[in-house]
């Protein structure tokens, strides 16, 4: 009897006979699961965890019970709680297998990096050194009152609210500092920290919580310097690859929301620890944090119920910016640290979009800018200083390698750049982790593991330009037979790499068509509401958007026609916006005001969205001739409707 096995985070799945080891199943599917000892139960590198999906709960009996190999295991790498050895555990029922990062040969490359040299600094938390008069018998005034009086006299700070933990150590701190201390005051209102003597170190962390990856930036609150940047996979991916599957998990499991909240908070706390370790500082030095994320991530981190975001009218608990004690979110920082969450704009246009707006500033200029944060759920903002519109579009996970036959996330070994010779149809490509291209001496084909989002986009766009993929997205064999185009059941596939075999299948093209059509339709809907047929500039934001070649994005029809010189990557705009909010109170006021003025266009209830979606399924588009793009690249001629029907496969 066969059982279904799904591996996370890769999303690869297949049917295997009962009794197959997890390691063998992983190898058969090309899942990135490490093993140095060759499956002898010695190295412990193939550790996995039983995961869950809607309808497939995590139960220990989905794998066979631990046998002697696991019971007697004494390898150098300890077997973690809930972990199983993939080489010893065998499939007993349908099962979801989570492969932890430490068990992957090719660790995840987290692309979210802060690509900005300087940020405005207007510290929300300020340090104040103050000398406090010593007590004497003639005055019964308490130590706190004398401290507050000194702060008012020396720093003009009055009416301060004192965090309760300050009182616990106040007298000891004053005496350790010989009546000279440094205090941290937030918003000139809250006294959140006190240290003996002089201190000039105040740090903060900006978090960008994506559905796939989490990025963190450790900054000096006083200088704006970025001291460390790091990232991690979002462990919630084990509960669903996209946002709606996670909402479904919450709806179907009584403790679903609390479990998703628990794992993402733990990941944030771990990332905070990695950041301070990298910078050689202490957790207690972190006095302020900021947070951006799409609405569902935003709600889950803050412990808010996301279920209303799963159905129309997609109501948020709140769109306002929030201040939350870091300790309430399980983040081990200074006891007085607060987490500032940027405002959300509307259902499915969240704090990450607000961060991107703050970073890119379409509201600060005259050019009509289309800002696109490309992810499993694309968020789009269109406008200028006169007006801003926003929408979200369900692109799905295809752009991140999921639903693609040889797809994977951006990790070493993934094909990320593709070129196809127009005459011979021969391909050459580059992969993450190698500097040379596949047609250069010394290229290591053995290191090729799959194709990531940017690679599949370039492959399909190149095949369209070469005439292999037509306007309808159909892979068609050339007039002169090519070994690159092979029959596959009733369709054709393009062999991108023969060894290992990496193909672009008809289903791959369809998955990308659906994703790109949703993205394009969202943009066109915003343009309809703005009353324009063209935009002045396009900014592609997000980890994935930053690695798309604008030329191929336009050839494919992901975005509307635009002057290519005005189409560019925005980097991790949401993360930069989070840092701006971390470092500047003025920036917080700005985005809170702007977010309230953005008009939301709801694609789910707009009749024209489906019309735009259908037209955008064509490559690059059914009706838009892309005149600006045509000046740069020769697009294949579009067949007449009758010709297209005659050429369609039976």
């Amino acid at each position: 009897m066969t059982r279904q096995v799904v591996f996370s985070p890769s999303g690869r799945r297949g049917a295997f006979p009962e009794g197959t080891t997890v390691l063998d199943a992983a190898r058969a599917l090309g899942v990135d699961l490490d093993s140095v000892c060759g499956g002898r139960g010695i190295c412990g590198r193939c550790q996995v965890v039983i995961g869950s999906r809607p309808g497939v709960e995590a139960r220990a009996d989905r794998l066979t019970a631990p046998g002697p190999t696991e019971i007697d295991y004494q390898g150098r790498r300890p077997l973690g709680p809930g972990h199983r050895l993939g080489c010893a555990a065998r499939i007993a029922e349908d099962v979801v297998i989570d492969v932890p990062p430490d068990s992957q040969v090719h660790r995840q490359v987290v692309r979210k990096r802060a690509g900005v040299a300087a940020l405005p600094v207007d510290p929300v938390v300020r340090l104040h050194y103050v000398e406090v008069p010593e007590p004497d018998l003639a005055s019964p005034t308490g130590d706190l009152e004398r401290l507050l009086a000194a702060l008012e006299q020396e720093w003009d700070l009055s009416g301060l609210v004192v965090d309760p933990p300050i009182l616990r150590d106040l007298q000891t701190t004053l005496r350790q500092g010989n009546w000279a201390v440094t205090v941290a005051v937030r918003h000139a209102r809250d006294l959140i920290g006190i240290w003996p003597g002089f201190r000039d170190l105040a740090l903060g962390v900006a978090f960008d919580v994506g559905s796939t990856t989490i990025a963190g930036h450790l900054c000096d609150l006083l200088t704006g310097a970025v001291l460390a940047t790091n990232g991690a996979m979002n462990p919630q991916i084990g509960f669903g690859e996209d946002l709606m599957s996670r909402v479904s998990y919450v709806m179907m499991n009584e403790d679903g929301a609390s479990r998703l909240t628990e794992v993402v908070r733990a990941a944030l706390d771990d990332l905070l620890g990695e950041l301070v370790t990298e910078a050689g500082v202490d957790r207690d030095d972190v006095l302020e944090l900021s947070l951006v994320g799409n609405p569902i991530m935003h709600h889950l981190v803050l412990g808010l119920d996301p279920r209303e975001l799963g159905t129309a009218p997609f109501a948020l608990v709140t769109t306002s910016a929030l201040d939350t004690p870091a300790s309430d979110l399980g983040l081990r920082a200074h006891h007085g640290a607060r987490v500032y969450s940027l405002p959300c704009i509307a259902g499915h246009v969240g704090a990450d979009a607000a961060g991107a707006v703050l970073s890119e500033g379409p509201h600060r200029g005259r050019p009509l800018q289309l800002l696109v944060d490309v992810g499993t759920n694309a968020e789009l903002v269109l406008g200028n200083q006169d007006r801003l519109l926003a929408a979200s579009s369900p692109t799905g996970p295809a752009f991140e390698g999921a639903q693609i036959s040889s797809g994977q996330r951006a990790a070493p070994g993934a094909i990320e750049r593709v070129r196809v010779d127009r005459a011979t149809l021969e391909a050459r490509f580059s992969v993450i982790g190698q500097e040379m291209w596949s047609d250069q001496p010394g290229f290591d084909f053995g290191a090729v593991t799959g194709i990531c989002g940017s690679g599949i986009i370039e492959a399909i766009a190149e095949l369209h330009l070469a005439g292999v993929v037509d306007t309808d997205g159909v892979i068609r064999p050339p007039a002169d037979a090519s070994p690159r185009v092979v029959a596959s059941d009733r369709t054709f596939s393009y062999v991108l790499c023969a060894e290992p075999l990496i193909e672009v299948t008809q289903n791959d093209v369809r998955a990308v068509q659906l994703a790109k059509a949703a993205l394009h339709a969202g943009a066109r809907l915003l343009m309809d509401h703005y009353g324009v047929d063209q935009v002045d500039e396009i900014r592609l934001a997000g980890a994935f958007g930053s690695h798309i070649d604008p030329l191929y994005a336009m050839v494919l029809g992901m975005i509307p026609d635009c002057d290519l010189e005005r189409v560019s990557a925005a980097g991790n705009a949401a993360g930069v916006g989070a840092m701006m909010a971390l470092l500047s109170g003025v920036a917080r006021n700005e985005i809170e005001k702007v977010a309230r003025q953005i008009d939301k266009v709801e694609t789910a209830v707009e009749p024209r969205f489906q019309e735009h979606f259908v037209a955008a399924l064509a490559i690059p588009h059914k009706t838009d001739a892309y005149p600006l793009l045509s000046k740069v690249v020769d697009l294949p001629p579009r067949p007449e409707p009758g010709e297209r029907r005659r050429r369609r496969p039976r």
Side-chain angles (χ1 to χ4, degrees), residues 139 163 168 228 240 325 331 354 371 457 478 507 533 571 621 632 649:
S139 173
D163 269 10
R168 183 181 59 229
L331 301 178
L371 175 60
I457 284 174
N507 286 337
D533 292 320
H621 197 269
V632 180

Side-chain angles (χ1 to χ4, degrees), residues 277-332:
T277 299
E278 181 180 338
V281 296
D282 296 326
R283 286 177 175 266
D284 198 52
D285 297 325
V286 177
L287 307 180
E288 183 77 6
L289 303 98
S290 65
L291 175 76
V292 298
N294 60 64
I296 293 173
M297 293 300 99
H298 168 276
H299 276 40
L300 288 171
V301 171
L302 296 175
L304 305 177
D305 193 333
R307 283 178 292 184
E308 291 297 325
L309 293 170
T311 55
F314 313 111
L316 293 148
V317 173
T318 178
T319 56
S320 300
L322 298 174
D323 270 334
T324 309
S327 58
D328 286 2
L329 304 185
L331 301 178
R332 291 171 293 166

Side-chain angles (χ1 to χ4, degrees), residues 121-166:
V121 177
D122 172 39
V124 171
V125 176
R126 296 179 182 268
L127 299 180
H128 302 280
Y129 175 78
V130 63
E131 295 180 353
V132 181
E134 295 186 39
D136 59 56
L137 292 174
S139 173
T141 306
D143 286 350
L144 174 62
E145 286 68 32
R146 280 181 285 103
L147 170 63
L148 295 176
L151 286 169
E152 183 171 7
Q153 180 179 354
E154 297 184 28
W155 293 101
D156 197 26
L157 293 169
S158 60
L160 294 178
V161 178
V162 181
D163 269 10
I166 298 290

Side-chain angles (χ1 to χ4, degrees), residues 266-605:
L268 289 173
D269 187 61
D270 289 344
L271 185 54
L272 191 158
E274 292 173 9
L275 290 169
V276 297
T277 299
E278 181 180 338
V281 296
D282 296 326
R283 286 177 175 266
D284 198 52
D285 297 325
V286 177
L287 307 180
E288 183 77 6
L289 303 98
S290 65
L291 175 76
V292 298
N294 60 64
I296 293 173
M297 293 300 99
H298 168 276
H299 276 40
L300 288 171
V301 171
L302 296 175
L304 305 177
D305 193 333
R307 283 178 292 184
E308 291 297 325
L309 293 170
T311 55
F314 313 111
L316 293 148
V317 173
T318 178
T319 56
S320 300
L322 298 174
D323 270 334
T324 309
S327 58
D328 286 2
L329 304 185
L331 301 178
R332 291 171 293 166
H334 187 272
H335 60 71
R338 307 291 199 275
V339 179
Y340 173 79
S341 305
L342 274 71
C344 291
I345 296 171
H348 299 302
V349 183
D352 52 350
V357 169
L358 180 60
S359 172
E360 292 302 304
H363 56 288
R364 303 185 194 115
R366 290 296 309 169
L368 186 61
Q369 180 189 99
L370 175 64
L371 175 60
V372 184
D373 193 338
V374 186
T376 54
N377 187 69
E379 295 171 316
L380 307 97
V381 178
L382 174 69
N384 57 13
Q385 64 187 27
D386 297 327
R387 183 187 181 196
L388 289 178
L389 300 174
S392 64
S393 200
T395 53
F399 288 152
E400 296 183 345
Q403 301 176 345
I404 304 301
S405 59
S406 298
Q408 67 171 83
R409 303 192 188 282
I415 296 173
E416 63 172 348
R417 295 283 178 260
V418 176
R419 300 293 182 268
V420 175
D421 187 279
R422 305 289 189 268
T424 66
L425 301 186
E426 286 300 304
R428 63 189 188 96
F429 52 83
S430 66
V431 302
I432 299 174
Q434 293 195 60
E435 294 184 2
M436 61 191 69
W437 284 66
S438 60
D439 59 344
Q440 294 177 313
F443 181 84
D444 183 8
F445 282 91
V448 180
T449 58
I451 187 167
C452 64
S454 62
I456 194 65
I457 284 174
E458 292 196 5
I460 295 174
E462 280 278 305
L463 291 173
H464 177 63
L465 294 175
V468 176
V469 173
D470 69 11
T471 301
D472 290 330
V474 178
I475 300 177
R476 298 188 182 278
D480 297 326
S482 168
R484 290 282 181 177
V485 182
V486 298
S488 177
D489 294 328
R490 296 171 59 87
T491 63
F492 292 89
S493 297
Y494 178 84
V495 179
L496 183 57
C497 179
E499 185 62 39
L501 181 61
I502 307 293
E503 293 182 313
V504 178
T505 69
Q506 186 63 69
N507 286 337
D508 295 340
V509 178
R510 289 287 181 249
V512 172
Q513 279 183 281
L514 293 171
K516 75 97 176 179
L519 180 60
H520 187 109
R524 285 298 315 181
L525 198 59
L526 290 181
M527 294 166 67
D528 287 349
H529 279 261
Y530 210 96
V532 296
D533 292 320
Q534 195 167 334
V535 298
D536 297 322
E537 61 185 35
I538 299 176
R539 295 284 280 164
L540 300 172
F544 176 60
S546 297
H547 290 81
I548 303 173
D549 187 316
L551 171 64
Y552 292 108
M554 198 168 292
V555 168
L556 200 61
M558 290 176 59
I559 52 179
D561 192 30
C562 183
D563 182 352
L564 270 172
E565 294 185 356
R566 304 295 299 275
V567 183
S568 57
N572 181 18
V576 173
M579 284 197 291
M580 293 175 67
L582 174 72
L583 297 169
S584 172
V586 171
R588 296 184 183 188
N589 293 334
E590 176 185 354
I591 192 55
E592 289 176 23
K593 178 181 178 181
V594 171
R596 291 193 296 267
Q597 298 171 346
I598 299 176
D599 294 325
K600 172 68 189 306
V601 176
E602 185 51 67
T603 57
V605 297

